Amino acid sequence: MLRQKLMLTPGRAAVGIGAALSLAVAGVAAQPLRAPSLAAGSGATRPPKYVSMGSSYAAGPGVGRLDGQSGRCRRSLSNYAHLLAARRNLNLVDVGCSGATTADILQGSQDGLRPQIDAVDADTRLVTVTVGGNDVNYVGNLVGYTCRHRGGATCEVVSDAKVDQRFQALPGSLRQIVAEVHRRAPKARLVMIGYLPVLPGSETLGCAAVPLSLADLRRMQAIYSRLTDVIGSVAQETGTPVVRSSVIGSGHDACSAQPFVTGFEPPVTPGWPSLVSYHPNQAGMNRLASALDETLKVLRNQNNKH
């Protein structure tokens, strides 16, 4: 799973956001922001600069065509950032990278890569970020517990105690990302994107696509809920719009008839890159792009009223 920390699945993200809007795109929570319009076809002389940051849930490894210049980051040319940029005529700088943590955004270190935040500058007008899952080893443990359930002898799992310790540090790291984006790009609009849910709801059993013991299924459902709650809480505290992927992906988990994410053993399509276990598929990326586009429309309307 690409460094076995690949990404996380924040979904339920903006639980409790008081000023959240009730939208047709269930899953978009936003607070009023004053920022330049990013409406499609806005007539700007130069396309607005858009920076996409995050882990593999932003990069999209195995989805559609691979960006041959992205190296070990394995960015897709049809991830949600590319789809949105094409729809809105934005100048995309995609620095999302499989395996990235909040530290890789703020300080760098992934195989010598520069901090992702370095792509954000005064010319930037839109920033999106999907990160946090690898900080708490969400997908890594999801793969590790699956390995263990299938009888593997060398399955890597981070202990509950260490996961809890990492959760304690996550809110501060996310706040730092928000603050740094606004410091570097005061005219930019920042939107946080949650992780699409891999697992069915807590009242539901697993399935063949997610081979886990019942105890591990419940453990990982709880971790997912905690992760999305942290992302939603930081978004609320900082007044940052958030695409609530847990709501968008409800009913589209790996066990569903129309999943937005892969199971442990993704289908193989001859001639195409291999999808990654427990990660978004093209349908999921399409849905996130649509939700993000709707979020920007709502924010634009809010700004026009103020």
Side-chain angles (χ1 to χ4, degrees):
M1 90 144 275
L2 304 180
R3 193 214 245 183
Q4 230 190 356
K5 295 196 321 188
L6 271 192
M7 7 261 79
L8 288 323
T9 51
R12 212 175 71 196
V15 175
I17 294 187
L21 301 175
S22 203
L23 303 172
V25 179
V28 176
Q31 303 243 351
L33 292 181
R34 298 186 182 280
S37 170
L38 286 167
S42 59
T45 304
R46 200 171 45 164
K49 180 179 177 180
Y50 164 30
V51 176
S52 174
M53 304 189 297
S55 64
S56 54
Y57 267 55
V63 176
R65 290 188 299 119
L66 175 71
D67 177 357
Q69 304 300 313
S70 64
R72 53 100 52 228
C73 292
R74 296 184 61 186
R75 287 186 288 271
S76 167
L77 292 174
S78 57
N79 58 27
Y80 67 72
H82 278 82
L83 295 174
L84 181 77
R87 182 178 300 188
R88 287 183 162 258
N89 187 32
L90 303 176
N91 176 23
L92 173 63
V93 179
D94 188 356
V95 291
C97 191
S98 297
T101 64
T102 54
D104 294 314
I105 287 182
L106 292 166
Q107 296 134 29
S109 75
Q110 272 189 294
D111 297 333
L113 294 177
R114 295 178 60 185
Q116 293 184 26
I117 196 72
D118 283 355
V120 178
D121 58 22
D123 292 331
T124 306
R125 292 297 178 267
L126 174 65
V127 178
T128 58
V129 59
T130 298
V131 76
N134 292 328
D135 288 62
V136 297
N137 214 62
Y138 175 73
V139 172
N141 272 6
L142 194 54
V143 170
Y145 286 128
T146 300
C147 169
R148 188 171 71 178
H149 184 66
R150 290 163 65 97
T154 58
C155 308
E156 296 183 22
V157 173
V158 173
S159 70
D160 290 344
K162 286 187 177 179
V163 169
D164 184 68
Q165 183 179 37
R166 294 175 184 182
F167 261 116
Q168 302 305 316
L170 182 56
S173 296
L174 292 175
R175 291 188 203 100
Q176 189 176 352
I177 289 172
V178 172
E180 190 63 16
V181 166
H182 291 314
R183 185 186 74 80
R184 292 174 180 240
K187 294 183 179 180
R189 176 172 286 150
L190 170 63
V191 180
M192 299 175 76
I193 315 288
Y195 286 84
L196 288 168
V198 170
L199 306 174
S202 59
E203 73 288 348
T204 311
L205 298 177
C207 62
V210 184
L212 294 169
S213 69
L214 182 57
D216 289 337
L217 175 67
R218 296 290 185 253
R219 172 187 281 110
M220 297 312 299
Q221 287 169 330
I223 293 298
Y224 174 77
S225 295
R226 187 176 179 183
L227 175 63
T228 57
D229 284 349
V230 167
I231 292 171
S233 295
V234 171
Q236 182 179 16
E237 293 169 17
T238 59
T240 304
V242 56
V243 172
R244 298 174 60 194
S245 302
S246 61
V247 178
I248 291 171
S250 178
H252 295 280
D253 54 79
C255 292
S256 69
Q258 296 180 314
F260 287 167
V261 294
T262 63
F264 182 64
E265 296 181 327
V268 176
T269 302
W272 290 89
S274 298
L275 288 165
V276 178
S277 299
Y278 301 141
H279 278 73
N281 57 25
Q282 189 63 69
M285 286 297 183
N286 292 347
R287 188 65 185 85
L288 288 174
S290 294
L292 179 54
D293 186 53
E294 185 65 25
T295 302
L296 295 174
K297 290 177 183 176
V298 170
L299 293 173
R300 181 190 178 205
N301 290 337
Q302 286 181 334
N303 286 338
N304 290 340
K305 292 178 181 179
H306 288 77

